[in-house]
Amino acid sequence: MGVGRFWGWTPIAEIQGRCRLSGAPVSCRACFSILLVKCLFLGICVADNSKPNILLIMADDLGIGDVGCYGNDTLRTPNIDRLAKEGIQLSQHLSAAPLCTPSRAAFLTGRHAFRSGKWHQGVNCEFRTDHCHHPLNHGFDYFYGMPFTLINDCQINKPPEVDAAFRAKLWVYTQVIVLGMLTLTTGKLAGLISVSWKILMCLITLSFLFFISWYSSFGFIRYWNCILMRNYEITEQPMVLERTATLMLKEAISFITRNKHRPFLLFVSLLHVHIPLVTTKQFLGKSKHGLYGDNVEEMDWVVGKILNAIEQEGLKNTTFIYFTSDHGGHLEAREGNVQLGGSNGIYKGGKGMGGWEGGIRVPGIFRWPGVLPAGEVIDEPTSLMDIYPTVVHLGGGEMPHDRVIDGHNLIPLLQGTVKHSDHHFLFHYCGIHLHAARWHQKDSNKVWKVHYKTPNFHPEGAGACYGRGVCPCSGEHVTYHDPPLLFDLSRDPSETSPLSPDTEPFYHTVIERVTEAIVEHQKTFHPVSQQFSTNNIMWKPWLQPCCGMFPFCSCDKEGDNGHTAL
């Protein structure tokens, strides 16, 4: 099941009143903050009993073409489809970025991730147990999940994912050094080399230190990275992925049961359908699309169990539910010739591919019986950044006035009191690089899309960056378009036919208007510290969470909990 991402946090909003979630009421100054390492369930506060419960469910790497209500007729997603039938489905719902970290940061803050700059990595700041970036120190009452990123290394017998190419080079260097040391030692013993034993021992020691320096980090990634926490306590190190889905689901249902008598906010950030696609035996081989399809159908089952818990506790009519994905499907996810990534339907591109629609157009489904209409589809541009101001509104809070918020409250649009989204322009970034922008021309109901940069697919014409994991955001592997590419998404949602002055009489007008909007948008930027320096991303042993005595970190406090039937 899902493990989402929790990162460091800075106070964003203050919900008026006292928080009533789990345990005693607490001050609720920091109900949302910045996201950047992986977690799962973040319970947040709502002002009083007149407010709804709020349940946010986010899938990981799910393509919009993987869901039945968005056109897939070969994968079974009855629970997500039922959610759409009983609520509202957005057909132009967009992530703020085509990659996990910036998309989720924007989701939790209501603003582009580059505005915050410092996306905290890890849990600690100065020492192993200070928990400075932990959600409990940033407004949350309860946490259960994975504080780091889910990767292939978390599953035994899977090929390595973290810096795999670099690791392969280090192994080659190590083998060359070992061969060199063996040659020198043999030569010394045979009297063929006159080097002193002292120098030889120094070289062997340096070689050993070289090996230890990199293997202590890369060789134990499963132990360092793949851990499960409940609040401040590590419960599994390393995680047993085969039972994680059940543990996460049980925790979500337990949270709902414990808090059914008072308003709550529960954020369930699913592990599904991110690789390594760990799927329980119940669903293996059941779909028409291999392991990925099995994982999608298991995800839908998990969603159904959570919805059932809401309904069994009598909370259906008092719970605002939202389902989405952090971005489009990961087309490059493969193992040999087996595709492990999803489908983005008719849309071009996918995860990590700048502004192409397939990487940023995601499912967006809302349900709140009696308050929101049922069975409706809204074809207006909306964003994951809209969820933060929407939740603040539902919680009776006030939006912060000391920063730029890029999202808008969706309730008027969802209830039908307005016809159009508040977004005139949306800007699509790959990292800190602006790749594209769209203009919702409301008087004509057209949606124009302008591309300034696009990734170079590999091999050429392949539709993805195979062999590279994800597409680069800048540099030699990106095409810079001058003049930019222009598409009319209202007629060409697949972005197959770029317009020109010869084919579109308003070409220059649109380009000029979007350019003006970008200039105004960029005036709102303020310098911020960036995270991805070498010092920030390097592994620091003294900050490594550890169950036991470092470096012998290992524990399993979940026991057989993950095998209990649900």
Side-chain angles (χ1 to χ4, degrees):
M1 166 177 160
V3 161
R5 307 162 163 114
F6 153 78
W7 323 126
W9 305 68
T10 51
I12 298 298
E14 182 172 352
I15 302 292
Q16 296 174 341
R18 304 291 294 277
C19 300
R20 300 182 180 276
L21 190 63
S22 56
V26 296
S27 172
C28 189
R29 181 161 181 77
C31 282
F32 270 132
S33 305
I34 242 188
L35 172 77
L36 206 74
V37 195
K38 286 196 161 183
C39 87
L40 232 188
F41 303 123
L42 309 180
I44 307 185
C45 38
V46 178
D48 56 55
N49 290 330
S50 66
K51 306 301 180 185
N53 306 307
I54 301 172
L55 171 60
L56 310 176
I57 305 175
M58 178 177 282
D60 195 336
D61 289 11
L62 178 71
I64 193 170
D66 294 327
V67 185
C69 57
Y70 282 93
N72 192 308
D73 57 3
T74 59
L75 279 174
R76 294 166 294 189
T77 57
N79 296 294
I80 298 172
D81 298 345
R82 173 168 65 94
L83 198 63
K85 184 178 180 180
E86 296 175 354
I88 294 173
Q89 180 178 335
L90 302 181
S91 61
Q92 292 191 61
H93 200 42
L94 304 162
S95 64
L99 278 173
C100 306
T101 291
S103 171
R104 291 165 178 269
F107 168 73
L108 284 178
T109 61
R111 52 199 246 125
H112 284 287
F114 60 78
R115 295 191 187 278
S116 303
K118 179 65 174 176
W119 308 328
H120 295 295
Q121 288 190 324
V123 176
N124 306 309
C125 291
E126 302 296 334
F127 53 91
R128 184 167 292 116
T129 58
D130 65 27
H131 298 119
C132 68
H133 300 317
H134 194 284
L136 296 191
N137 287 330
H138 296 277
F140 291 91
D141 295 315
Y142 187 77
F143 169 81
Y144 185 80
M146 186 180 183
F148 303 127
T149 299
L150 177 68
I151 49 177
N152 261 359
D153 304 71
C154 293
Q155 188 173 12
I156 299 173
N157 299 325
K158 285 290 183 180
E161 180 179 354
V162 176
D163 294 323
F166 183 53
R167 265 198 273 183
K169 290 180 181 179
L170 290 173
W171 270 117
V172 172
Y173 297 155
T174 301
Q175 291 167 0
V176 170
I177 291 171
V178 169
L179 182 61
M181 292 303 100
L182 288 174
T183 301
L184 285 174
T185 303
T186 303
K188 175 66 175 176
L189 292 172
L192 300 176
I193 299 175
S194 60
V195 65
S196 69
W197 281 109
K198 184 177 181 179
I199 292 176
L200 185 57
M201 291 306 297
C202 284
L203 291 174
I204 293 174
T205 301
L206 288 173
S207 301
F208 179 73
L209 290 175
F210 167 75
F211 171 73
I212 290 298
S213 67
W214 72 264
Y215 194 77
S216 62
S217 173
F218 289 121
F220 297 93
I221 282 182
R222 182 166 170 262
Y223 282 84
W224 301 151
N225 193 90
C226 309
I227 66 176
L228 200 60
M229 296 181 74
R230 177 180 285 105
N231 295 326
Y232 295 129
E233 180 186 18
I234 297 174
T235 61
E236 281 189 352
Q237 189 173 14
M239 293 166 56
V240 182
L241 285 183
E242 290 73 17
R243 68 188 186 195
T244 303
T246 304
L247 289 173
M248 299 293 186
L249 178 55
K250 286 180 61 181
E251 204 73 29
I253 293 174
S254 174
F255 181 92
I256 292 167
T257 302
R258 293 196 312 270
N259 293 281
K260 62 184 178 181
H261 296 301
R262 50 190 172 185
F264 61 80
L265 189 154
L266 173 61
F267 173 31
V268 181
S269 183
L270 298 169
L271 193 82
H272 299 84
V273 286
H274 195 286
I275 55 175
L277 299 178
V278 179
T279 308
T280 57
K281 292 181 181 179
Q282 178 183 350
F283 290 91
L284 284 175
K286 301 298 184 182
S287 78
K288 297 180 180 179
H289 294 280
L291 183 58
Y292 181 83
D294 298 343
N295 205 246
V296 170
E297 294 189 357
E298 182 181 57
M299 174 200 68
D300 180 79
W301 174 80
V302 169
V303 171
K305 286 289 186 179
I306 295 172
L307 296 181
N308 289 345
I310 290 288
E311 292 163 12
Q312 288 169 6
E313 298 295 349
L315 303 176
K316 181 175 181 177
N317 293 336
T318 57
T319 303
F320 176 89
I321 298 178
Y322 168 69
F323 175 85
T324 191
S325 175
D326 55 355
H327 48 67
H330 190 186
L331 302 184
E332 295 91 349
R334 313 182 98 179
E335 193 170 291
N337 294 323
V338 178
Q339 179 68 27
L340 299 179
S343 165
N344 298 311
I346 66 171
Y347 304 108
K348 186 173 185 176
K351 176 180 180 177
M353 299 186 198
W356 288 122
E357 206 72 1
I360 56 178
R361 194 178 289 221
V362 295
I365 301 172
F366 297 85
R367 188 186 78 179
W368 188 4
V371 180
L372 302 181
E376 288 199 4
V377 176
I378 295 178
D379 189 29
E380 288 282 310
T382 56
S383 171
L384 263 67
M385 295 185 290
D386 296 332
I387 304 307
Y388 169 69
T390 302
V391 167
V392 170
H393 169 78
L394 292 174
E398 183 177 340
M399 293 295 293
H401 302 293
D402 61 345
R403 69 207 69 190
V404 175
I405 299 295
D406 297 298
H408 300 281
N409 175 19
L410 287 177
I411 294 300
L413 180 66
L414 297 176
Q415 290 186 319
T417 57
V418 299
K419 292 183 178 180
H420 295 295
S421 154
D422 285 333
H423 290 288
H424 293 276
F425 297 92
L426 283 163
F427 306 96
H428 307 301
Y429 285 83
C430 186
I432 61 173
H433 304 278
L434 179 67
H435 273 222
R438 81 180 61 211
W439 174 27
H440 183 204
Q441 191 178 3
K442 298 179 182 180
D443 56 353
S444 65
N445 210 31
K446 284 184 175 292
V447 179
W448 304 99
K449 179 96 164 282
V450 181
H451 285 267
Y452 300 94
K453 303 172 188 174
T454 55
N456 299 335
F457 293 148
H458 177 80
E460 187 175 351
C465 298
Y466 296 110
R468 295 198 179 107
V470 293
C471 294
C473 293
S474 61
E476 61 181 347
H477 299 298
V478 171
T479 297
Y480 299 79
H481 299 283
D482 187 13
L485 302 179
L486 174 64
F487 297 93
D488 178 1
L489 295 183
S490 52
R491 292 185 297 171
D492 181 22
S494 301
E495 299 174 286
T496 57
S497 304
L499 303 172
S500 69
D502 295 330
T503 59
E504 175 51 60
F506 294 104
Y507 177 91
H508 292 295
T509 301
V510 172
I511 296 297
E512 289 172 5
R513 183 67 188 90
V514 173
T515 301
E516 291 171 0
I518 291 173
V519 171
E520 292 302 311
H521 166 65
Q522 292 176 339
K523 288 179 181 179
T524 66
F525 293 1
H526 299 286
V528 292
S529 61
Q530 293 300 318
Q531 168 185 309
F532 294 108
S533 65
T534 301
N535 180 61
N536 281 336
I537 65 174
M538 69 181 295
W539 180 62
K540 299 179 177 68
W542 58 91
L543 298 182
Q544 173 64 48
C546 181
C547 188
M549 181 177 293
F550 186 85
F552 307 103
C553 306
S554 179
C555 66
D556 181 1
K557 300 177 183 178
E558 297 293 351
D560 293 326
N561 291 340
H563 299 288
T564 306
L566 284 168

